[in-house]
Amino acid sequence: MAIGFSFQWLFLLCLVSSVPFSLSRITPRFPSSLISPEKVSVSTTTKLYKTSYFTQTLDHFNFLPQSYQTFQQRYLINDTFWGGAKTKAPIFVYTGNEGEIEWFAQNTGFMFETAPHFKALLVFLEHRFYGKSIPFGGDKEVAYSNTSTLGYLSSTQALADYATLIIDLKNNISAYPHVAIGALASSSPILGFENLTSPYSFNNIVTQDFKSESENCYQVIKESWQQIKDTAKTSKGINLLRKSFKLCKNYEYIGDYLESWLSTAFVYTAMTDYPTPSNFLNPLPAYPVKQMCKAIDNPKSGRNSNTFEKVYGAANIYYNYSGTATCFDLEDNSDPHGLSEWSWQWKESTYSFLERGR
């Protein structure tokens, strides 16, 4: 990356996919079992970074009175490996995602792995309206209250935040060029526009993740959607679903909630199908998609296990790999990583998953 560059800066852009992946009318949610970075802080346990704040402008593009309001934008910095501006050592900047920046800093090994080789300074910038970078006096109730305030939550404003902060940081350490000389985008749907890319693209990729592991695994998941719909039409069926998926409550209505709960497990497992154990979204084993398909293809209760038992076994890989959960709440609205305003940034739709309904 920085080899051969005569500049002192390298800008590393890393974004979680902004492809909308609504899989039913119920928005996929993260379970409450996730560890909150504020409770388990890398900064205090392993000294990976120092926390700082920058006085940021609310509106970079207009000249209304409210445009000149400011807020405190959080960023994390690690200078352990930095060779300094005089040695033309680069600076790797991580532009924050839709959540608390500590969460992403804890799960971005690439930055820390490459920094020693390039003698790079590491900087993690938090996205406005997330974590502790909340405009309007840091009051989330005000910041999230209506379209007038949420109108400042946009990718253009966020990119301007990053450029402004980077320029100020470089001025303090006497580095250049103006903003950045290069970028790497992770999970960036650069062609993800309406009428240009199929709206099924993301879900088709998820489908292929499971289908490539096992045709039977794919078929079981595909067929389960209609079976759940049909079973959820009666009170007896709802009770069967509650027992099959070890749900905590006696739900009167369950169909869409259960589909969303399962879709979340399959989609997020595919998104984090890493070759090593991870704890990014939930504690997961290495190659979790493979483990899900094993649960479907070789259920512990034997070959005669029904579809619901098989699908539950797969979902259990995502929701309960640690083995501590005894039941599951489909209406869990907890938000341990401050992700709630992500729904403002993507358009909800009815994409199919694993060819549901086809």
Side-chain angles (χ1 to χ4, degrees), residues 72 221 252:
Q72 295 302 301
I221 296 173
E252 294 183 3

Side-chain angles (χ1 to χ4, degrees), residues 56-63 67 128 156-158 160-161 164:
Q56 190 61 263
T57 302
L58 177 64
D59 186 352
H60 296 279
F61 305 105
N62 296 291
F63 304 96
S67 299
R128 59 168 52 201
T156 52
Q157 294 284 3
D161 286 344
T164 302

Side-chain angles (χ1 to χ4, degrees), residues 142-161:
V142 175
Y144 300 168
S145 61
N146 55 59
T147 56
S148 296
T149 56
L150 283 171
Y152 296 104
L153 172 53
S154 69
S155 59
T156 52
Q157 294 284 3
L159 287 172
D161 286 344

Side-chain angles (χ1 to χ4, degrees), residues 19-243:
V19 176
F21 43 82
S22 172
L23 301 166
S24 73
R25 286 172 291 179
I26 309 300
T27 303
R29 298 184 297 270
F30 290 87
S32 59
S33 59
L34 293 174
I35 298 175
S36 170
E38 296 298 326
K39 295 178 181 178
V40 184
S41 176
V42 170
S43 60
T44 58
T45 58
T46 60
K47 309 296 183 183
L48 282 184
Y49 52 73
K50 298 177 183 177
T51 302
S52 297
Y53 289 85
F54 176 75
T55 301
Q56 190 61 263
T57 302
L58 177 64
D59 186 352
H60 296 279
F61 305 105
N62 296 291
F63 304 96
L64 301 173
Q66 61 267 31
S67 299
Y68 297 95
Q69 293 184 43
T70 61
F71 67 96
Q72 295 302 301
Q73 183 176 12
R74 181 168 59 161
Y75 65 97
L76 313 177
I77 191 165
N78 179 302
D79 60 1
T80 303
F81 314 105
W82 195 40
K86 292 182 179 180
T87 66
K88 297 184 179 180
I91 302 175
F92 293 170
V93 178
Y94 183 102
T95 58
N97 313 68
E98 68 282 8
E100 296 178 344
I101 192 60
E102 286 188 327
W103 181 33
F104 298 104
Q106 292 179 38
N107 291 279
T108 309
F110 177 74
M111 297 274 284
F112 291 96
E113 290 169 3
T114 54
H117 177 76
F118 294 104
K119 297 181 179 180
L121 178 70
L122 301 181
V123 183
F124 294 81
L125 310 181
E126 189 162 67
H127 197 295
R128 59 168 52 201
F129 282 79
Y130 294 103
K132 294 187 179 298
S133 302
I134 308 297
F136 303 101
D139 190 331
K140 289 186 177 182
E141 290 190 8
V142 175
Y144 300 168
S145 61
N146 55 59
T147 56
S148 296
T149 56
L150 283 171
Y152 296 104
L153 172 53
S154 69
S155 59
T156 52
Q157 294 284 3
L159 287 172
D161 286 344
Y162 299 145
T164 302
L165 200 161
I166 289 170
I167 291 171
D168 183 82
L169 181 63
K170 289 193 297 180
N171 285 338
N172 290 332
I173 61 177
S174 302
Y176 74 95
H178 174 55
V179 179
I181 62 169
L184 293 178
S186 175
S187 301
S188 181
I190 57 176
L191 297 178
F193 296 99
E194 190 174 2
N195 298 323
L196 181 61
T197 299
S198 169
Y200 300 103
S201 295
F202 178 83
N203 296 287
N204 287 340
I205 292 171
V206 175
T207 297
Q208 290 304 315
D209 281 349
F210 287 86
K211 197 171 185 179
S212 64
E213 286 296 336
S214 164
E215 180 69 24
N216 177 67
C217 177
Y218 155 71
Q219 289 293 342
V220 169
I221 296 173
K222 177 184 176 182
E223 295 168 5
S224 71
W225 303 120
Q226 190 60 48
Q227 290 187 37
I228 289 172
K229 287 181 181 295
D230 294 341
T231 305
K233 292 178 180 179
T234 66
S235 57
K236 183 179 179 180
I238 290 175
N239 189 50
L240 173 61
L241 291 173
R242 183 181 66 82
K243 291 181 177 179

Side-chain angles (χ1 to χ4, degrees), residues 244-262:
S244 297
F245 291 94
K246 294 182 171 56
L247 305 181
C248 299
K249 300 179 181 179
N250 292 319
Y251 296 92
E252 294 183 3
Y253 178 77
I254 200 173
D256 285 347
Y257 288 98
L258 181 56
E259 288 182 58
S260 178
W261 185 78
L262 290 171

